[in-house]
Amino acid sequence: MPEATPRGLTRLAFGGDYNPEQWPEGVWHEDVRLMREAGVTMVSVGIFSWALLEPAPGVYDFGWLDRLLDLLHENGIRADLGTPTVVPPVWFYRAHPEALPVTAEGVRYEFGSRGAICHSNADYRAAAANITTRLAERYADHPALAMWHVHNEYGVPVSACYCDSCAAHFRRWLASTHGSVEGVNEAWGTAFWGQRYADFEDINPPRLAPTVGNPAQALDYRRFADATMRENFRMERDILHRLAPGVPVTTNFMTALSQCDSVDYWAWGREVDIVTNDHYLITDGRRTHVNLAMAADLTRSVAGGAPWILLEHSTSGVNWQARNPAKAPGQMARNSLAHVARGSEGAMFFQWRQSRRGAEKFHSAMLPHGGTDTRVWREVVELGAALDSLSDLRGTRTQADVAVLWDWHSWWAQNLDWRPSEDHDPRERADAFYEALYDRHLTVDFAHPEADLSRYPLVVVPALYLMTEAAGNNLKAYVENGGTLVVSFFSGIVDEHDAVHEGAYPGPLRDVLGLTIEEFSPLLQGENVRLTGPDGSELNGDVWTEFVVPRGAETVWTYADGLTAGHPAVTRHRLGEGTAWYVSTRLGAEGLDALLGWAVEDAQVVAPADLPRDVEVVRRAGASGTYLFAINHTAADAKVALAGTGTELLTGVRAAGRLEVPAGGVRVVRLDG
Ligand code: GLA
Ligand code: ZN
């Protein structure tokens, strides 16, 4: 698991993507002067610079990058140096047009944007290896070099290519994964609809077809595309490790963004030396700080609990959503410090100086178009000072209360076509359960379904359509040994090839939940069902219902109307030392809170008492002590109970017994003892 830290960085990371090639060198001197004023400790450079570094095939111009890295070093700023392989120069594409990716519809993309890459293309691989080698040879010993930033956000904007090279590569991947063409036929169930293959050569990517294609083929293609991007990452990483030993290698993730669900970050987390993440607020009317917390928790989890670095977020609005509101005063600091609370070793931004030209000129930056006499700049300077006062917490780990199961392969399978209801969105369930736990002030670790869960009193499964037998056994052992499990509907349905588990639903979960499901009965749009429960309590469900047959489980809430009236809606199964809950409909916030209330009691999870909604309290602990973060997202001052005494690090004030957190403010207490 990743444990490395950026070479020579002795403070938290604070800075951003720095693309100085947009300005004359005179501006660079103003940049570093202002970076020092703001307390910038590290910047990411060269991410998109291939066309400048290699202006013609085999012709290199490193002079400007030499001067830039020297300048950063003279000013005590560390460099996160990019390999520019996300945008090959136009000369490369003119020589190798087939390196441009092809869509499932057979359309080849053109040059002129970014990220237009066929990851199977041998010429691309050779050119990427070459520029990476040149950079590593030149800068391995440069004193500014803190870490390598390979590529940029693998998986977006193109998550898979459907060209002929990819087809050939896919066949090789299938051969090594399934052994034989018969293995593919078996796994994909090609006996259905007459899709049987006699030869690997006949198999293609899931290209445009008249109607729904083979789901297992589509699922395997997502795995193949992910694995192919990872091959290219490993290729670059191994060059960097060989030529620059000891310098950590990262590539920036986007863990919780449903728009970027094409990479399996569990697998990627094992490949990088330091996990780094990019997070932007999705301003769709929901509470943005909840999605932020979720992204940070997920990032820490793919890092195996180790510290990670927030490599990009925004000082204010972005420019790629339909509507891009500015951040409110204080919101940037709350965002940045919430990431730190949840394990980030700093807070970096896209980007340092706001662009005048190009696609992202309306995206906020640390140094806005308006210069230093702006609110954004003043808040950036304040944030730099705040982070500086938190330097000692480096290396400590965020403490989680509960686990939520998460698996990209299951999202991929579930999002294929022709399911019982298109209204069931597994990511919506993950968000909703996360939000319900957040509202109980519980800190969440995410876990792979086959991971060791024994240290968590409560494990929640919001939606896990694809589940292996091994995962089912894992959950059963977890409950038998005293764990409390909560499972939401349409989980444990198919195996790793999208084949329905044998026997009644939910195959690998039948024993642990103590029930079977005879039939799904999704609801029509706008349709609701009432549930009646203990002491006459009532809940509401929508989207989904099921005919649940208890086989050991007790019924806690019952459907009161609709087709499933009289049948169990929510059940509880005591098994061994533990308890397993099952909910067969889509509960709203109120229902989830009620359900989790019971489960939390079974699990004896103790949440911080008397905290107002949207006052976030998170702890990091380790060799240097215990740090309590309190982030007040509300417009009212709040009080947070403090066990013992400590020093508030942002103000230097002593705190005892309780902590005052001003409206919109953040407090970080280092506890005594
Ligand atoms: C991504 C990219 C950056 C920039 C930002 C803008 O995270 O990595 O280059 O485009 O988005 O939000
Ligand atoms: Zn391709």
Side-chain angles (χ1 to χ4, degrees), residues 101-102 118-120 161-163 165-166:
V102 173
C118 164
H119 280 279
S120 299
C161 168
Y162 296 78
C163 77
S165 315
C166 285

Side-chain angles (χ1 to χ4, degrees), residues 416-429:
L416 298 168
D417 293 320
W418 287 13
R419 306 286 138 162
S421 170
E422 65 177 30
D423 295 335
H424 170 43
D425 170 3
R427 285 296 307 268
E428 180 279 332
R429 282 294 79 186

